Amino acid sequence: ERKQAEEWLLRERSMVDRIMRTSPAGITVADREGRIVFANKRAQEILGLSIDKITGLTYDSPEWRITDFDGNPFPMEKLPFAQVISSGNPAYGIRHAITSPDGRRVYLSINGAPIHDEKGNISEVVFSIDDITGQRRAEEKIGETIEQLRKSIDDTIRAMAMIVEQRDPYTAGHQERVANLSVTIAQDMNLSKDQISGIRMAGMIHDIGKMNVPAEILSKPTQLSHIELELIKSHAETGYRILETIAFPYPVAKISYQHHERIDGSGYPQGLKGDEISLEARILAVADVVEAMASHRPYRPALGIDAALEEIEKNRGVLYDNTVADACLRLFREKGFRIK
């Protein structure tokens, strides 16, 4: 029996040795004080140090500088060794970067688990270390591509806005000012980043449907006739037909389509009420009214920001969403926002 036990131990030790040598993951062991007492071949390759130089080092040794993936200092209490020692439990998927002694920046994903002695106390911590540098580089490349696409979309939207304003010089800058006010209202309401991005895009081109309205009507210095007014009002639906053909990452077409709808159903073109109107469109509606009233138009001088805010306050909950109206009023009256 003793002989069989010795042979079993030899086989087990041989298997463990083979696993350590051939493992695609780096494997290290640290003692209770955090000093590394073992590192397999793959760990030596990842960390950029031979076993004789690794042994005895700790996680905070100057041989490798630990940061998060963006290069910021990594909190020591968040490191896998500290988490395992403090909690007594395994720690999984801890991601940080190191700068190895040869100058390489290496991105790591680390799992750690406690090793207990006969009394149940943690005597050592074992780590599996994966080099995810290639994955991180791919993520960065994808991020750069996404940023380039986002910039292209922004540039395209700005160009579309300029086309509208070339036909209607009296509202030059109107769309951009509406977009800026809409975004500020959305931020005050703590909307998500995606919602704010959608609002910005929609605001920049919410009047694109005016391309289908004769320029002489857009710039007419006198009162519009009923037919001319109906032509102007058609811009919401025309804009929707243009924008719905474009695969925006946000519901830009829908927001633009609904920016003249009103809470009580008196708006156009669909006569939507209350929550039937998207929140983004409700924000755009308030910003559009405030900017239009505060600015000069061919058929009237600017009414001023005070008149615009009185309109929003008077029709809060009737034409305009309560929460959106309150945020808009708060921006101007308490936070000092001004339309540039």
Side-chain angles (χ1 to χ4, degrees), residues 265-277:
S266 63
Y268 65 88
Q270 297 173 282
L272 303 178
K273 294 182 179 180
D275 291 342
E276 294 175 345
I277 309 166

Side-chain angles (χ1 to χ4, degrees), residues 233 236-237 257-261 267-272:
K233 291 170 69 174
E237 189 156 356
Y257 193 25
Q258 297 178 349
H259 78 276
H260 279 292
E261 301 290 352
Y268 65 88
Q270 297 173 282
L272 303 178

Side-chain angles (χ1 to χ4, degrees), residues 99-124:
T99 301
S100 64
D102 58 5
R104 292 180 301 118
R105 184 161 173 77
V106 185
Y107 297 87
L108 306 176
S109 178
I110 302 174
N111 301 320
I115 299 176
H116 298 90
D117 59 20
E118 294 83 358
K119 297 181 180 180
N121 299 317
I122 298 176
S123 59
E124 295 164 316

Side-chain angles (χ1 to χ4, degrees), residues 12-209:
E12 185 181 62
R13 184 176 300 162
S14 175
M15 181 179 295
V16 170
D17 288 342
R18 289 198 302 274
I19 291 172
M20 290 294 185
R21 287 196 305 270
T22 61
S23 172
I27 298 174
T28 61
V29 178
D31 65 17
R32 191 70 176 72
E33 283 68 46
R35 292 187 295 268
I36 297 175
V37 297
F38 172 81
N40 72 346
K41 182 179 179 181
R42 180 57 182 147
Q44 297 170 47
E45 294 171 352
I46 293 173
L47 299 176
L49 290 172
S50 59
I51 185 61
D52 58 319
K53 294 184 178 179
I54 290 178
T55 303
L57 295 179
T58 60
Y59 239 116
D60 55 356
S61 294
E63 275 72 10
W64 43 71
R65 186 172 65 90
I66 300 175
T67 66
D68 66 17
F69 279 12
D70 295 322
N72 304 309
F74 197 91
M76 295 301 293
E77 66 274 11
K78 298 294 185 180
L79 291 172
F81 176 80
Q83 290 196 41
V84 172
I85 291 296
S86 63
S87 69
N89 299 313
Y92 299 105
I94 311 301
R95 289 157 62 99
H96 66 66
I98 65 166
T99 301
S100 64
D102 58 5
R104 292 180 301 118
R105 184 161 173 77
V106 185
Y107 297 87
L108 306 176
S109 178
I110 302 174
N111 301 320
I115 299 176
H116 298 90
D117 59 20
E118 294 83 358
K119 297 181 180 180
N121 299 317
I122 298 176
S123 59
E124 295 164 316
V125 179
V126 60
F127 306 98
S128 65
I129 306 172
D130 289 314
D131 181 351
I132 59 171
T133 303
Q135 175 185 331
R136 176 60 181 175
R137 299 299 186 203
E139 290 173 354
E140 290 175 343
K141 188 66 176 177
I142 291 171
E144 291 171 2
T145 301
I146 291 173
E147 188 58 35
Q148 290 173 354
L149 290 172
R150 184 178 290 113
K151 185 178 184 303
S152 296
I153 291 173
D154 288 344
D155 290 345
T156 300
I157 286 177
R158 192 170 296 278
M160 294 168 73
M162 290 175 64
I163 292 171
V164 176
E165 291 169 359
Q166 287 296 316
R167 298 190 69 250
D168 185 10
Y170 287 99
T171 58
H174 163 73
Q175 293 183 118
E176 186 165 3
R177 290 192 293 271
V178 169
N180 290 338
L181 176 53
S182 297
V183 165
T184 309
I185 292 172
Q187 290 170 339
D188 187 79
M189 293 172 60
N190 295 315
L191 266 62
S192 70
K193 184 178 179 180
D194 282 349
Q195 286 176 299
I196 292 172
S197 294
I199 288 170
R200 177 181 285 109
M201 286 187 182
M204 288 293 298
I205 51 176
H206 68 276
D207 279 339
I208 193 170

